[in-house]
Amino acid sequence: HVQLVESGGGSVQPGGSMRLSCTASGASGNMCMGWFRQPAGKEREEVAVVWSAAGSVWYADSVKGRFTISQIRSKSTSYLQMDSLKSEDTAVYFCAARAPCTVVAGTPDPEDFGYWGQGTQVTVS
């Protein structure tokens, strides 16, 4: 049974930085890991995904150039480095995993991921 645990959320001023971490337990290293977010009153949206099976990374246009995702496969750990944060980045951020890792074409969809963390609040104000 795979469990994902996020850490690193909190409050930061606009223009600041924050790093989120996610560690998967009960999993093999063959996972794609990504991050989604859900602003209050809105639907969950994709942020960034590491398609480790293909060695590629996907970013939402809204975070390109500001956010960096990385994954340490041997440790089943994902990081989301967020720089130049804006108020519109305020949301609950969720770590997600797809196992086994198979690449999905186009924009990642939450339904492509079978495992989810509990979410961590990020507030930019």
Side-chain angles (χ1 to χ4, degrees), residues 1-7 20-25 31-38 44 76 78 92-98 110 113-121:
H1 180 64
V2 177
Q3 289 187 311
L4 304 179
V5 178
E6 303 107 335
S7 62
L20 304 181
S21 302
C22 173
T23 299
S25 60
M31 291 192 305
C32 300
M33 298 181 75
W35 291 87
F36 291 74
R37 67 187 181 187
Q38 187 165 15
R44 194 168 297 189
S76 298
S78 176
V92 177
Y93 283 71
F94 296 90
C95 176
R98 176 178 172 88
F113 294 78
Y115 304 100
W116 291 86
Q118 79 285 357
T120 184
Q121 177 69 46

PDB file of all heavy atoms in Angstrom, residues 1-7 20-25 31-38 44 76 78 92-98 110 113-121:
ATOM      1  N   HIS A   1       0.859  -1.193   0.000  1.00  0.00           N
ATOM      2  CA  HIS A   1       0.000   0.000   0.000  1.00  0.00           C
ATOM      3  C   HIS A   1       0.888   1.234   0.000  1.00  0.00           C
ATOM      4  O   HIS A   1       1.699   1.426   0.893  1.00  0.00           O
ATOM      5  CB  HIS A   1      -0.909  -0.009   1.217  1.00  0.00           C
ATOM      6  CG  HIS A   1      -1.819   1.177   1.293  1.00  0.00           C
ATOM      7  ND1 HIS A   1      -2.796   1.430   0.346  1.00  0.00           N
ATOM      8  CD2 HIS A   1      -1.910   2.184   2.179  1.00  0.00           C
ATOM      9  CE1 HIS A   1      -3.435   2.527   0.670  1.00  0.00           C
ATOM     10  NE2 HIS A   1      -2.942   3.018   1.777  1.00  0.00           N
ATOM     11  N   VAL A   2       0.705   2.090  -1.015  1.00  0.00           N
ATOM     12  CA  VAL A   2       1.531   3.284  -1.140  1.00  0.00           C
ATOM     13  C   VAL A   2       0.924   4.436  -0.357  1.00  0.00           C
ATOM     14  O   VAL A   2      -0.268   4.716  -0.462  1.00  0.00           O
ATOM     15  CB  VAL A   2       1.661   3.684  -2.623  1.00  0.00           C
ATOM     16  CG1 VAL A   2       2.469   4.962  -2.755  1.00  0.00           C
ATOM     17  CG2 VAL A   2       2.311   2.559  -3.425  1.00  0.00           C
ATOM     18  N   GLN A   3       1.758   5.100   0.424  1.00  0.00           N
ATOM     19  CA  GLN A   3       1.326   6.294   1.141  1.00  0.00           C
ATOM     20  C   GLN A   3       2.265   7.436   0.811  1.00  0.00           C
ATOM     21  O   GLN A   3       3.487   7.254   0.782  1.00  0.00           O
ATOM     22  CB  GLN A   3       1.308   6.045   2.646  1.00  0.00           C
ATOM     23  CG  GLN A   3       0.190   5.113   3.094  1.00  0.00           C
ATOM     24  CD  GLN A   3       0.097   5.014   4.607  1.00  0.00           C
ATOM     25  OE1 GLN A   3       1.099   4.807   5.282  1.00  0.00           O
ATOM     26  NE2 GLN A   3      -1.108   5.162   5.136  1.00  0.00           N
ATOM     27  N   LEU A   4       1.693   8.608   0.570  1.00  0.00           N
ATOM     28  CA  LEU A   4       2.476   9.800   0.264  1.00  0.00           C
ATOM     29  C   LEU A   4       2.306  10.814   1.393  1.00  0.00           C
ATOM     30  O   LEU A   4       1.182  11.068   1.837  1.00  0.00           O
ATOM     31  CB  LEU A   4       2.010  10.432  -1.051  1.00  0.00           C
ATOM     32  CG  LEU A   4       2.008   9.530  -2.285  1.00  0.00           C
ATOM     33  CD1 LEU A   4       1.504  10.303  -3.498  1.00  0.00           C
ATOM     34  CD2 LEU A   4       3.387   8.966  -2.555  1.00  0.00           C
ATOM     35  N   VAL A   5       3.409  11.385   1.807  1.00  0.00           N
ATOM     36  CA  VAL A   5       3.367  12.381   2.877  1.00  0.00           C
ATOM     37  C   VAL A   5       4.090  13.633   2.402  1.00  0.00           C
ATOM     38  O   VAL A   5       5.274  13.577   2.053  1.00  0.00           O
ATOM     39  CB  VAL A   5       4.020  11.856   4.165  1.00  0.00           C
ATOM     40  CG1 VAL A   5       4.014  12.940   5.241  1.00  0.00           C
ATOM     41  CG2 VAL A   5       3.285  10.601   4.654  1.00  0.00           C
ATOM     42  N   GLU A   6       3.359  14.758   2.406  1.00  0.00           N
ATOM     43  CA  GLU A   6       3.952  16.027   1.998  1.00  0.00           C
ATOM     44  C   GLU A   6       4.424  16.797   3.229  1.00  0.00           C
ATOM     45  O   GLU A   6       3.906  16.625   4.328  1.00  0.00           O
ATOM     46  CB  GLU A   6       2.941  16.908   1.250  1.00  0.00           C
ATOM     47  CG  GLU A   6       2.304  16.293   0.030  1.00  0.00           C
ATOM     48  CD  GLU A   6       0.882  15.908   0.259  1.00  0.00           C
ATOM     49  OE1 GLU A   6       0.507  15.673   1.425  1.00  0.00           O
ATOM     50  OE2 GLU A   6       0.128  15.837  -0.732  1.00  0.00           O
ATOM     51  N   SER A   7       5.364  17.686   3.002  1.00  0.00           N
ATOM     52  CA  SER A   7       5.810  18.603   4.038  1.00  0.00           C
ATOM     53  C   SER A   7       6.320  19.871   3.381  1.00  0.00           C
ATOM     54  O   SER A   7       6.624  19.880   2.185  1.00  0.00           O
ATOM     55  CB  SER A   7       6.899  17.981   4.909  1.00  0.00           C
ATOM     56  OG  SER A   7       8.024  17.674   4.129  1.00  0.00           O
ATOM     57  N   LEU A  20       8.499  22.305  -1.244  1.00  0.00           N
ATOM     58  CA  LEU A  20       7.647  21.223  -0.769  1.00  0.00           C
ATOM     59  C   LEU A  20       8.362  19.894  -1.009  1.00  0.00           C
ATOM     60  O   LEU A  20       9.069  19.735  -2.004  1.00  0.00           O
ATOM     61  CB  LEU A  20       6.311  21.220  -1.498  1.00  0.00           C
ATOM     62  CG  LEU A  20       5.489  22.508  -1.446  1.00  0.00           C
ATOM     63  CD1 LEU A  20       4.174  22.317  -2.195  1.00  0.00           C
ATOM     64  CD2 LEU A  20       5.245  22.947  -0.021  1.00  0.00           C
ATOM     65  N   SER A  21       8.141  18.964  -0.090  1.00  0.00           N
ATOM     66  CA  SER A  21       8.719  17.623  -0.211  1.00  0.00           C
ATOM     67  C   SER A  21       7.615  16.586  -0.119  1.00  0.00           C
ATOM     68  O   SER A  21       6.592  16.809   0.544  1.00  0.00           O
ATOM     69  CB  SER A  21       9.737  17.375   0.906  1.00  0.00           C
ATOM     70  OG  SER A  21      10.773  18.319   0.888  1.00  0.00           O
ATOM     71  N   CYS A  22       7.837  15.472  -0.773  1.00  0.00           N
ATOM     72  CA  CYS A  22       6.877  14.376  -0.721  1.00  0.00           C
ATOM     73  C   CYS A  22       7.656  13.068  -0.724  1.00  0.00           C
ATOM     74  O   CYS A  22       8.486  12.845  -1.607  1.00  0.00           O
ATOM     75  CB  CYS A  22       5.951  14.431  -1.924  1.00  0.00           C
ATOM     76  SG  CYS A  22       4.833  13.013  -2.088  1.00  0.00           S
ATOM     77  N   THR A  23       7.346  12.227   0.237  1.00  0.00           N
ATOM     78  CA  THR A  23       8.003  10.932   0.321  1.00  0.00           C
ATOM     79  C   THR A  23       6.958   9.830   0.267  1.00  0.00           C
ATOM     80  O   THR A  23       5.941   9.892   0.966  1.00  0.00           O
ATOM     81  CB  THR A  23       8.814  10.800   1.616  1.00  0.00           C
ATOM     82  OG1 THR A  23       9.823  11.825   1.631  1.00  0.00           O
ATOM     83  CG2 THR A  23       9.497   9.443   1.695  1.00  0.00           C
ATOM     84  N   ALA A  24       7.223   8.845  -0.570  1.00  0.00           N
ATOM     85  CA  ALA A  24       6.320   7.718  -0.713  1.00  0.00           C
ATOM     86  C   ALA A  24       6.842   6.527   0.084  1.00  0.00           C
ATOM     87  O   ALA A  24       8.019   6.181  -0.013  1.00  0.00           O
ATOM     88  CB  ALA A  24       6.173   7.326  -2.178  1.00  0.00           C
ATOM     89  N   SER A  25       5.975   5.913   0.838  1.00  0.00           N
ATOM     90  CA  SER A  25       6.330   4.692   1.556  1.00  0.00           C
ATOM     91  C   SER A  25       5.527   3.533   0.982  1.00  0.00           C
ATOM     92  O   SER A  25       4.444   3.736   0.422  1.00  0.00           O
ATOM     93  CB  SER A  25       6.050   4.840   3.053  1.00  0.00           C
ATOM     94  OG  SER A  25       4.673   5.090   3.275  1.00  0.00           O
ATOM     95  N   MET A  31       7.927   4.831 -10.107  1.00  0.00           N
ATOM     96  CA  MET A  31       6.785   5.724  -9.981  1.00  0.00           C
ATOM     97  C   MET A  31       7.052   7.021 -10.708  1.00  0.00           C
ATOM     98  O   MET A  31       8.167   7.518 -10.722  1.00  0.00           O
ATOM     99  CB  MET A  31       6.517   6.064  -8.510  1.00  0.00           C
ATOM    100  CG  MET A  31       6.013   4.951  -7.643  1.00  0.00           C
ATOM    101  SD  MET A  31       5.424   5.606  -6.063  1.00  0.00           S
ATOM    102  CE  MET A  31       6.880   6.489  -5.544  1.00  0.00           C
ATOM    103  N   CYS A  32       5.993   7.569 -11.302  1.00  0.00           N
ATOM    104  CA  CYS A  32       6.034   8.954 -11.743  1.00  0.00           C
ATOM    105  C   CYS A  32       5.426   9.759 -10.593  1.00  0.00           C
ATOM    106  O   CYS A  32       4.385   9.370 -10.052  1.00  0.00           O
ATOM    107  CB  CYS A  32       5.168   9.170 -12.980  1.00  0.00           C
ATOM    108  SG  CYS A  32       5.641   8.208 -14.415  1.00  0.00           S
ATOM    109  N   MET A  33       6.031  10.866 -10.254  1.00  0.00           N
ATOM    110  CA  MET A  33       5.504  11.686  -9.171  1.00  0.00           C
ATOM    111  C   MET A  33       5.251  13.091  -9.666  1.00  0.00           C
ATOM    112  O   MET A  33       5.991  13.613 -10.521  1.00  0.00           O
ATOM    113  CB  MET A  33       6.470  11.695  -7.984  1.00  0.00           C
ATOM    114  CG  MET A  33       6.683  10.304  -7.385  1.00  0.00           C
ATOM    115  SD  MET A  33       7.785  10.284  -5.961  1.00  0.00           S
ATOM    116  CE  MET A  33       6.725  10.985  -4.685  1.00  0.00           C
ATOM    117  N   GLY A  34       4.226  13.702  -9.138  1.00  0.00           N
ATOM    118  CA  GLY A  34       3.881  15.046  -9.565  1.00  0.00           C
ATOM    119  C   GLY A  34       3.205  15.831  -8.468  1.00  0.00           C
ATOM    120  O   GLY A  34       2.968  15.317  -7.371  1.00  0.00           O
ATOM    121  N   TRP A  35       2.909  17.073  -8.793  1.00  0.00           N
ATOM    122  CA  TRP A  35       2.254  17.968  -7.849  1.00  0.00           C
ATOM    123  C   TRP A  35       1.037  18.598  -8.528  1.00  0.00           C
ATOM    124  O   TRP A  35       1.105  19.030  -9.686  1.00  0.00           O
ATOM    125  CB  TRP A  35       3.211  19.065  -7.385  1.00  0.00           C
ATOM    126  CG  TRP A  35       4.319  18.543  -6.530  1.00  0.00           C
ATOM    127  CD1 TRP A  35       5.514  18.046  -6.947  1.00  0.00           C
ATOM    128  CD2 TRP A  35       4.316  18.449  -5.106  1.00  0.00           C
ATOM    129  NE1 TRP A  35       6.264  17.647  -5.870  1.00  0.00           N
ATOM    130  CE2 TRP A  35       5.556  17.882  -4.727  1.00  0.00           C
ATOM    131  CE3 TRP A  35       3.404  18.787  -4.110  1.00  0.00           C
ATOM    132  CZ2 TRP A  35       5.896  17.657  -3.391  1.00  0.00           C
ATOM    133  CZ3 TRP A  35       3.746  18.561  -2.792  1.00  0.00           C
ATOM    134  CH2 TRP A  35       4.971  18.001  -2.442  1.00  0.00           C
ATOM    135  N   PHE A  36      -0.034  18.663  -7.768  1.00  0.00           N
ATOM    136  CA  PHE A  36      -1.248  19.341  -8.173  1.00  0.00           C
ATOM    137  C   PHE A  36      -1.580  20.350  -7.084  1.00  0.00           C
ATOM    138  O   PHE A  36      -1.033  20.285  -5.978  1.00  0.00           O
ATOM    139  CB  PHE A  36      -2.402  18.335  -8.330  1.00  0.00           C
ATOM    140  CG  PHE A  36      -2.230  17.396  -9.500  1.00  0.00           C
ATOM    141  CD1 PHE A  36      -1.315  16.356  -9.457  1.00  0.00           C
ATOM    142  CD2 PHE A  36      -2.985  17.559 -10.645  1.00  0.00           C
ATOM    143  CE1 PHE A  36      -1.150  15.488 -10.533  1.00  0.00           C
ATOM    144  CE2 PHE A  36      -2.830  16.695 -11.733  1.00  0.00           C
ATOM    145  CZ  PHE A  36      -1.916  15.662 -11.667  1.00  0.00           C
ATOM    146  N   ARG A  37      -2.490  21.267  -7.377  1.00  0.00           N
ATOM    147  CA  ARG A  37      -2.921  22.205  -6.357  1.00  0.00           C
ATOM    148  C   ARG A  37      -4.402  22.523  -6.521  1.00  0.00           C
ATOM    149  O   ARG A  37      -4.959  22.375  -7.603  1.00  0.00           O
ATOM    150  CB  ARG A  37      -2.090  23.492  -6.412  1.00  0.00           C
ATOM    151  CG  ARG A  37      -2.303  24.339  -7.661  1.00  0.00           C
ATOM    152  CD  ARG A  37      -1.313  25.497  -7.682  1.00  0.00           C
ATOM    153  NE  ARG A  37      -1.500  26.351  -8.861  1.00  0.00           N
ATOM    154  CZ  ARG A  37      -0.684  27.347  -9.193  1.00  0.00           C
ATOM    155  NH1 ARG A  37       0.369  27.619  -8.429  1.00  0.00           N
ATOM    156  NH2 ARG A  37      -0.935  28.070 -10.262  1.00  0.00           N
ATOM    157  N   GLN A  38      -4.995  22.934  -5.423  1.00  0.00           N
ATOM    158  CA  GLN A  38      -6.416  23.262  -5.439  1.00  0.00           C
ATOM    159  C   GLN A  38      -6.655  24.550  -4.670  1.00  0.00           C
ATOM    160  O   GLN A  38      -6.627  24.559  -3.426  1.00  0.00           O
ATOM    161  CB  GLN A  38      -7.232  22.123  -4.837  1.00  0.00           C
ATOM    162  CG  GLN A  38      -8.727  22.308  -4.969  1.00  0.00           C
ATOM    163  CD  GLN A  38      -9.489  21.025  -4.707  1.00  0.00           C
ATOM    164  OE1 GLN A  38      -8.959  20.057  -4.158  1.00  0.00           O
ATOM    165  NE2 GLN A  38     -10.747  21.000  -5.106  1.00  0.00           N
ATOM    166  N   ARG A  44      -9.128  21.020  -8.634  1.00  0.00           N
ATOM    167  CA  ARG A  44      -7.717  20.670  -8.571  1.00  0.00           C
ATOM    168  C   ARG A  44      -7.084  20.854  -9.949  1.00  0.00           C
ATOM    169  O   ARG A  44      -7.670  20.475 -10.964  1.00  0.00           O
ATOM    170  CB  ARG A  44      -7.573  19.223  -8.099  1.00  0.00           C
ATOM    171  CG  ARG A  44      -6.182  18.829  -7.684  1.00  0.00           C
ATOM    172  CD  ARG A  44      -6.186  17.487  -6.964  1.00  0.00           C
ATOM    173  NE  ARG A  44      -6.964  17.558  -5.729  1.00  0.00           N
ATOM    174  CZ  ARG A  44      -6.993  16.576  -4.822  1.00  0.00           C
ATOM    175  NH1 ARG A  44      -6.285  15.474  -5.011  1.00  0.00           N
ATOM    176  NH2 ARG A  44      -7.732  16.691  -3.741  1.00  0.00           N
ATOM    177  N   SER A  76      12.125   7.435  -3.667  1.00  0.00           N
ATOM    178  CA  SER A  76      10.694   7.703  -3.884  1.00  0.00           C
ATOM    179  C   SER A  76      10.316   9.047  -3.285  1.00  0.00           C
ATOM    180  O   SER A  76       9.318   9.162  -2.554  1.00  0.00           O
ATOM    181  CB  SER A  76       9.845   6.578  -3.272  1.00  0.00           C
ATOM    182  OG  SER A  76      10.134   5.345  -3.891  1.00  0.00           O
ATOM    183  N   SER A  78       9.893  13.327  -3.989  1.00  0.00           N
ATOM    184  CA  SER A  78       9.723  14.401  -4.955  1.00  0.00           C
ATOM    185  C   SER A  78       9.825  15.734  -4.233  1.00  0.00           C
ATOM    186  O   SER A  78       9.394  15.869  -3.083  1.00  0.00           O
ATOM    187  CB  SER A  78       8.355  14.293  -5.635  1.00  0.00           C
ATOM    188  OG  SER A  78       8.134  15.385  -6.513  1.00  0.00           O
ATOM    189  N   VAL A  92      -4.017  24.583  -1.701  1.00  0.00           N
ATOM    190  CA  VAL A  92      -3.553  23.350  -1.066  1.00  0.00           C
ATOM    191  C   VAL A  92      -2.814  22.561  -2.143  1.00  0.00           C
ATOM    192  O   VAL A  92      -3.361  22.324  -3.222  1.00  0.00           O
ATOM    193  CB  VAL A  92      -4.720  22.526  -0.505  1.00  0.00           C
ATOM    194  CG1 VAL A  92      -4.194  21.207   0.081  1.00  0.00           C
ATOM    195  CG2 VAL A  92      -5.469  23.319   0.553  1.00  0.00           C
ATOM    196  N   TYR A  93      -1.600  22.185  -1.850  1.00  0.00           N
ATOM    197  CA  TYR A  93      -0.766  21.459  -2.802  1.00  0.00           C
ATOM    198  C   TYR A  93      -0.764  19.978  -2.441  1.00  0.00           C
ATOM    199  O   TYR A  93      -0.553  19.612  -1.276  1.00  0.00           O
ATOM    200  CB  TYR A  93       0.658  22.010  -2.790  1.00  0.00           C
ATOM    201  CG  TYR A  93       0.774  23.304  -3.542  1.00  0.00           C
ATOM    202  CD1 TYR A  93       0.213  24.481  -3.041  1.00  0.00           C
ATOM    203  CD2 TYR A  93       1.424  23.374  -4.781  1.00  0.00           C
ATOM    204  CE1 TYR A  93       0.290  25.674  -3.746  1.00  0.00           C
ATOM    205  CE2 TYR A  93       1.514  24.561  -5.490  1.00  0.00           C
ATOM    206  CZ  TYR A  93       0.946  25.707  -4.970  1.00  0.00           C
ATOM    207  OH  TYR A  93       1.027  26.883  -5.673  1.00  0.00           O
ATOM    208  N   PHE A  94      -0.978  19.157  -3.466  1.00  0.00           N
ATOM    209  CA  PHE A  94      -1.039  17.715  -3.289  1.00  0.00           C
ATOM    210  C   PHE A  94       0.069  17.030  -4.078  1.00  0.00           C
ATOM    211  O   PHE A  94       0.296  17.350  -5.248  1.00  0.00           O
ATOM    212  CB  PHE A  94      -2.381  17.166  -3.780  1.00  0.00           C
ATOM    213  CG  PHE A  94      -3.571  17.643  -3.004  1.00  0.00           C
ATOM    214  CD1 PHE A  94      -4.249  18.801  -3.374  1.00  0.00           C
ATOM    215  CD2 PHE A  94      -4.035  16.924  -1.916  1.00  0.00           C
ATOM    216  CE1 PHE A  94      -5.344  19.236  -2.673  1.00  0.00           C
ATOM    217  CE2 PHE A  94      -5.147  17.347  -1.200  1.00  0.00           C
ATOM    218  CZ  PHE A  94      -5.805  18.512  -1.581  1.00  0.00           C
ATOM    219  N   CYS A  95       0.721  16.096  -3.439  1.00  0.00           N
ATOM    220  CA  CYS A  95       1.652  15.209  -4.116  1.00  0.00           C
ATOM    221  C   CYS A  95       0.867  14.028  -4.670  1.00  0.00           C
ATOM    222  O   CYS A  95      -0.069  13.541  -4.020  1.00  0.00           O
ATOM    223  CB  CYS A  95       2.702  14.728  -3.112  1.00  0.00           C
ATOM    224  SG  CYS A  95       3.865  13.530  -3.750  1.00  0.00           S
ATOM    225  N   ALA A  96       1.249  13.578  -5.862  1.00  0.00           N
ATOM    226  CA  ALA A  96       0.563  12.450  -6.484  1.00  0.00           C
ATOM    227  C   ALA A  96       1.582  11.511  -7.105  1.00  0.00           C
ATOM    228  O   ALA A  96       2.664  11.937  -7.503  1.00  0.00           O
ATOM    229  CB  ALA A  96      -0.413  12.950  -7.546  1.00  0.00           C
ATOM    230  N   ALA A  97       1.212  10.247  -7.182  1.00  0.00           N
ATOM    231  CA  ALA A  97       2.103   9.252  -7.781  1.00  0.00           C
ATOM    232  C   ALA A  97       1.332   8.333  -8.705  1.00  0.00           C
ATOM    233  O   ALA A  97       0.159   8.026  -8.474  1.00  0.00           O
ATOM    234  CB  ALA A  97       2.802   8.441  -6.688  1.00  0.00           C
ATOM    235  N   ARG A  98       2.009   7.916  -9.755  1.00  0.00           N
ATOM    236  CA  ARG A  98       1.450   6.982 -10.728  1.00  0.00           C
ATOM    237  C   ARG A  98       2.406   5.794 -10.775  1.00  0.00           C
ATOM    238  O   ARG A  98       3.587   5.951 -11.084  1.00  0.00           O
ATOM    239  CB  ARG A  98       1.373   7.645 -12.092  1.00  0.00           C
ATOM    240  CG  ARG A  98       0.883   6.750 -13.232  1.00  0.00           C
ATOM    241  CD  ARG A  98       0.823   7.565 -14.518  1.00  0.00           C
ATOM    242  NE  ARG A  98       0.542   6.770 -15.700  1.00  0.00           N
ATOM    243  CZ  ARG A  98      -0.667   6.497 -16.127  1.00  0.00           C
ATOM    244  NH1 ARG A  98      -1.718   6.962 -15.474  1.00  0.00           N
ATOM    245  NH2 ARG A  98      -0.846   5.777 -17.223  1.00  0.00           N
ATOM    246  N   PRO A 110      -5.622  14.589 -12.932  1.00  0.00           N
ATOM    247  CA  PRO A 110      -5.616  13.905 -11.626  1.00  0.00           C
ATOM    248  C   PRO A 110      -6.012  12.436 -11.723  1.00  0.00           C
ATOM    249  O   PRO A 110      -5.526  11.616 -10.946  1.00  0.00           O
ATOM    250  CB  PRO A 110      -6.639  14.716 -10.825  1.00  0.00           C
ATOM    251  CG  PRO A 110      -6.565  16.088 -11.407  1.00  0.00           C
ATOM    252  CD  PRO A 110      -6.341  15.868 -12.884  1.00  0.00           C
ATOM    253  N   PHE A 113      -3.397   9.562 -11.815  1.00  0.00           N
ATOM    254  CA  PHE A 113      -2.583   9.269 -10.641  1.00  0.00           C
ATOM    255  C   PHE A 113      -3.415   8.536  -9.592  1.00  0.00           C
ATOM    256  O   PHE A 113      -4.477   9.006  -9.206  1.00  0.00           O
ATOM    257  CB  PHE A 113      -2.003  10.562 -10.067  1.00  0.00           C
ATOM    258  CG  PHE A 113      -1.030  11.216 -10.991  1.00  0.00           C
ATOM    259  CD1 PHE A 113      -1.466  11.956 -12.084  1.00  0.00           C
ATOM    260  CD2 PHE A 113       0.334  11.080 -10.812  1.00  0.00           C
ATOM    261  CE1 PHE A 113      -0.582  12.537 -12.974  1.00  0.00           C
ATOM    262  CE2 PHE A 113       1.245  11.664 -11.683  1.00  0.00           C
ATOM    263  CZ  PHE A 113       0.779  12.387 -12.758  1.00  0.00           C
ATOM    264  N   GLY A 114      -2.882   7.401  -9.137  1.00  0.00           N
ATOM    265  CA  GLY A 114      -3.649   6.568  -8.227  1.00  0.00           C
ATOM    266  C   GLY A 114      -3.373   6.788  -6.759  1.00  0.00           C
ATOM    267  O   GLY A 114      -4.115   6.306  -5.911  1.00  0.00           O
ATOM    268  N   TYR A 115      -2.310   7.522  -6.479  1.00  0.00           N
ATOM    269  CA  TYR A 115      -1.926   7.723  -5.084  1.00  0.00           C
ATOM    270  C   TYR A 115      -1.779   9.210  -4.802  1.00  0.00           C
ATOM    271  O   TYR A 115      -1.204   9.949  -5.610  1.00  0.00           O
ATOM    272  CB  TYR A 115      -0.608   6.995  -4.791  1.00  0.00           C
ATOM    273  CG  TYR A 115      -0.664   5.530  -5.105  1.00  0.00           C
ATOM    274  CD1 TYR A 115      -0.126   5.036  -6.291  1.00  0.00           C
ATOM    275  CD2 TYR A 115      -1.286   4.634  -4.230  1.00  0.00           C
ATOM    276  CE1 TYR A 115      -0.200   3.686  -6.605  1.00  0.00           C
ATOM    277  CE2 TYR A 115      -1.353   3.288  -4.534  1.00  0.00           C
ATOM    278  CZ  TYR A 115      -0.820   2.823  -5.719  1.00  0.00           C
ATOM    279  OH  TYR A 115      -0.897   1.488  -6.020  1.00  0.00           O
ATOM    280  N   TRP A 116      -2.272   9.617  -3.632  1.00  0.00           N
ATOM    281  CA  TRP A 116      -2.296  11.025  -3.275  1.00  0.00           C
ATOM    282  C   TRP A 116      -1.876  11.236  -1.834  1.00  0.00           C
ATOM    283  O   TRP A 116      -2.169  10.414  -0.956  1.00  0.00           O
ATOM    284  CB  TRP A 116      -3.706  11.590  -3.465  1.00  0.00           C
ATOM    285  CG  TRP A 116      -4.101  11.661  -4.900  1.00  0.00           C
ATOM    286  CD1 TRP A 116      -4.663  10.661  -5.654  1.00  0.00           C
ATOM    287  CD2 TRP A 116      -3.931  12.770  -5.772  1.00  0.00           C
ATOM    288  NE1 TRP A 116      -4.850  11.094  -6.936  1.00  0.00           N
ATOM    289  CE2 TRP A 116      -4.413  12.384  -7.044  1.00  0.00           C
ATOM    290  CE3 TRP A 116      -3.420  14.058  -5.616  1.00  0.00           C
ATOM    291  CZ2 TRP A 116      -4.392  13.236  -8.146  1.00  0.00           C
ATOM    292  CZ3 TRP A 116      -3.405  14.899  -6.706  1.00  0.00           C
ATOM    293  CH2 TRP A 116      -3.897  14.484  -7.956  1.00  0.00           C
ATOM    294  N   GLY A 117      -1.204  12.365  -1.600  1.00  0.00           N
ATOM    295  CA  GLY A 117      -0.925  12.779  -0.244  1.00  0.00           C
ATOM    296  C   GLY A 117      -2.121  13.520   0.338  1.00  0.00           C
ATOM    297  O   GLY A 117      -3.139  13.728  -0.337  1.00  0.00           O
ATOM    298  N   GLN A 118      -1.984  13.943   1.580  1.00  0.00           N
ATOM    299  CA  GLN A 118      -3.088  14.584   2.274  1.00  0.00           C
ATOM    300  C   GLN A 118      -3.199  16.066   1.928  1.00  0.00           C
ATOM    301  O   GLN A 118      -4.232  16.684   2.224  1.00  0.00           O
ATOM    302  CB  GLN A 118      -2.930  14.418   3.795  1.00  0.00           C
ATOM    303  CG  GLN A 118      -1.931  15.362   4.459  1.00  0.00           C
ATOM    304  CD  GLN A 118      -0.479  14.983   4.201  1.00  0.00           C
ATOM    305  OE1 GLN A 118      -0.172  13.980   3.565  1.00  0.00           O
ATOM    306  NE2 GLN A 118       0.424  15.813   4.710  1.00  0.00           N
ATOM    307  N   GLY A 119      -2.179  16.623   1.330  1.00  0.00           N
ATOM    308  CA  GLY A 119      -2.205  18.031   0.959  1.00  0.00           C
ATOM    309  C   GLY A 119      -1.537  18.910   1.999  1.00  0.00           C
ATOM    310  O   GLY A 119      -1.556  18.611   3.197  1.00  0.00           O
ATOM    311  N   THR A 120      -0.935  19.987   1.531  1.00  0.00           N
ATOM    312  CA  THR A 120      -0.305  20.956   2.424  1.00  0.00           C
ATOM    313  C   THR A 120      -0.650  22.361   1.925  1.00  0.00           C
ATOM    314  O   THR A 120      -0.598  22.654   0.736  1.00  0.00           O
ATOM    315  CB  THR A 120       1.220  20.742   2.500  1.00  0.00           C
ATOM    316  OG1 THR A 120       1.791  21.638   3.457  1.00  0.00           O
ATOM    317  CG2 THR A 120       1.905  20.944   1.153  1.00  0.00           C
ATOM    318  N   GLN A 121      -1.029  23.227   2.854  1.00  0.00           N
ATOM    319  CA  GLN A 121      -1.462  24.577   2.492  1.00  0.00           C
ATOM    320  C   GLN A 121      -0.262  25.469   2.210  1.00  0.00           C
ATOM    321  O   GLN A 121       0.696  25.525   2.995  1.00  0.00           O
ATOM    322  CB  GLN A 121      -2.291  25.183   3.621  1.00  0.00           C
ATOM    323  CG  GLN A 121      -2.737  26.614   3.381  1.00  0.00           C
ATOM    324  CD  GLN A 121      -3.781  26.731   2.277  1.00  0.00           C
ATOM    325  OE1 GLN A 121      -4.733  25.975   2.239  1.00  0.00           O
ATOM    326  NE2 GLN A 121      -3.601  27.708   1.389  1.00  0.00           N
TER     327      GLN A 121
END
